Amino acid sequence: MFMAENDAKEKKTKYQKLEEKLALKKKSAWEQFTDKQKKETFALCDEYKSFLGKVKTEREAVKEIEAFAKKKGFSELQKINKLIPGSKVYDIFKDKNAALVITGKKPLSEGARIIVSHIDSPRLDLKPKPLYEDSGLAMMKTHYYGGIKKYQWVNTPLSLHGVVIKSDGEKVEINIGEDPKDPVFVVSDLLPHLSAKEQNKRTTVDTIKGEELNLIVGNMPIEDDKIKQKVKLSVLEHLFDKYGIVEEDFVSAELEAVPADAPRDIGFDRAFVGGYGQDDRVSAFTSMAALESIKTPEHTIVVLFYDKEEIGSVGNTGARSKHIEYLFGMILEQLGEDMSAHNIRKSLINSIALSADVSAAVNPTFKSVNDPYNSHLCGYGVALEKYSGAGGKYSGNDASAEFVGKIRSLFIDKGVPWQAGELGKVDEGGGTTVAVFFANHGMDIIDMGVPVLGMHSPFEIVSKADIYSAYLAYKAFLGL
Ligand code: MN
Ligand code: MN
């Protein structure tokens, strides 16, 4: 004799059933994935690591996005005459921001589906006159970019990336420190033996001061006693021989010192990706990957990658700029639609958008900064943040309940692992991103991205389950 299947299972009590029906459930994305999805998670993250390792600056990100676009059959928007439903085009602005577009069946004035991320990350920028010699060392002065904990950027190998514009206008590209055979640069901290009297009394924020973020770049003097700064001249000689640049050329340069390490798996189970610049290149990568399977959408799809988010989305390549209006104007023109200022506004107001940016994950060692009921856990899926901001939601974006409802239903429908919460405890600190600036155009927008451990450090940590969940979320949204 055998028992019927239902009888074999433990019978649920009335209140177990009620709890199942009423209470919010928290379940790891890893537990929600099928075996096939787990496999895809690791495959996608291998691609992601290779992207992340190649892309250490906004300019390098734009180049990789352009290469992806060309490989996937996107044409340059400004070089074609006509767009039809299903056209795939890309646009690059000032080498620092990019847009990938797939035109929909409906007119653009009925609204686009927009995902916007940022491709700049915190780093140390060289000052306009960086080079000096002191105590037998050639050094370079930096000015940090974005919100960093300065003490995290010492004693770690840094590479130097960027461009130098010479006085004749020639652009020289620099990339030193990524090849294992390359030299690297480093900011050296004080030894503990001599830290007792002064440095140990500093507060954390001043453990390393901004003016102490000086890179070591040389030590070998040239052989000529008539020269005072022999080590500095030796570095200048090397720079001239190798790149044809002189000291004044640094004035018209953008050189960024960034962590030289390649992305790595973390954990016995390899469940995490560790690496520099995941804020916010993880969103750039996953939103780009989400485009791959899309043919001809109902609504036009616009995937945007902005610069300058880490310093407030300012400037002509940041999300506060009027760039989006210009881009929409161009698309309307090529579609043969009315491109009046009013129709551009209408197209923007009718759009819906995701602000794809990372959030904070709970670090079990520092749990006191989180509200345990409203925080994001590593591995629990893409994080949906209804609002951002600090100290009374100040300066944050606050998505409407209606729009959050729409996104939530979509995720339930498409089986996307997701979680909802906020960055940290009320009045503990806070942050915001590009969503507010896009909301200014009238569209509905919500913050959504992966939770990160050690955000803005030289080695940020993200769960692969969350990366795959973000990819699923962005793909589902683009199909709306
Ligand atoms: Mn970010
Ligand atoms: Mn950031």
Side-chain angles (χ1 to χ4, degrees), residues 118 120-122 147 279-280 309-310 357-358 432 455-456 460:
H118 68 91
D120 62 315
S121 295
D279 171 13
D280 184 32
E309 192 275 345
E310 296 296 356
D357 202 352
V358 301
T432 193
M455 201 196 295
H456 289 195
E460 299 173 322

Side-chain angles (χ1 to χ4, degrees), residues 18-25:
L18 191 70
E19 187 186 36
E20 209 166 85
K21 188 177 160 190
L22 301 183
L24 191 145
K25 289 171 237 25

Side-chain angles (χ1 to χ4, degrees), residues 32 73 79 82 115 134 142 168 180 200 218 226 252 257 279 314 336 375 392 430 446 450 453:
Q32 296 179 51
K79 284 194 179 154
K82 196 176 170 8
I115 300 182
D134 195 342
T142 70
D168 63 1
N200 287 356
K226 294 209 174 74
S252 49
D279 171 13
V314 291
S375 47
I446 185 167
V450 301
L453 289 168

Side-chain angles (χ1 to χ4, degrees), residues 77 108 111-114 300 302 304 323-335 338-339 343-349 351 438 443:
L77 175 63
L108 183 57
R113 303 296 177 250
I114 301 171
T300 294
V302 182
L304 294 162
H323 169 268
I324 184 77
E325 293 172 24
Y326 174 67
L327 179 74
F328 268 49
M330 276 197 291
I331 302 168
L332 285 168
E333 186 182 25
Q334 307 272 38
L335 282 168
D338 170 17
M339 58 174 295
N343 205 44
I344 292 173
R345 293 222 177 94
K346 187 176 165 190
S347 308
L348 287 166
I349 278 187
S351 294
F438 271 61
M443 68 185 74

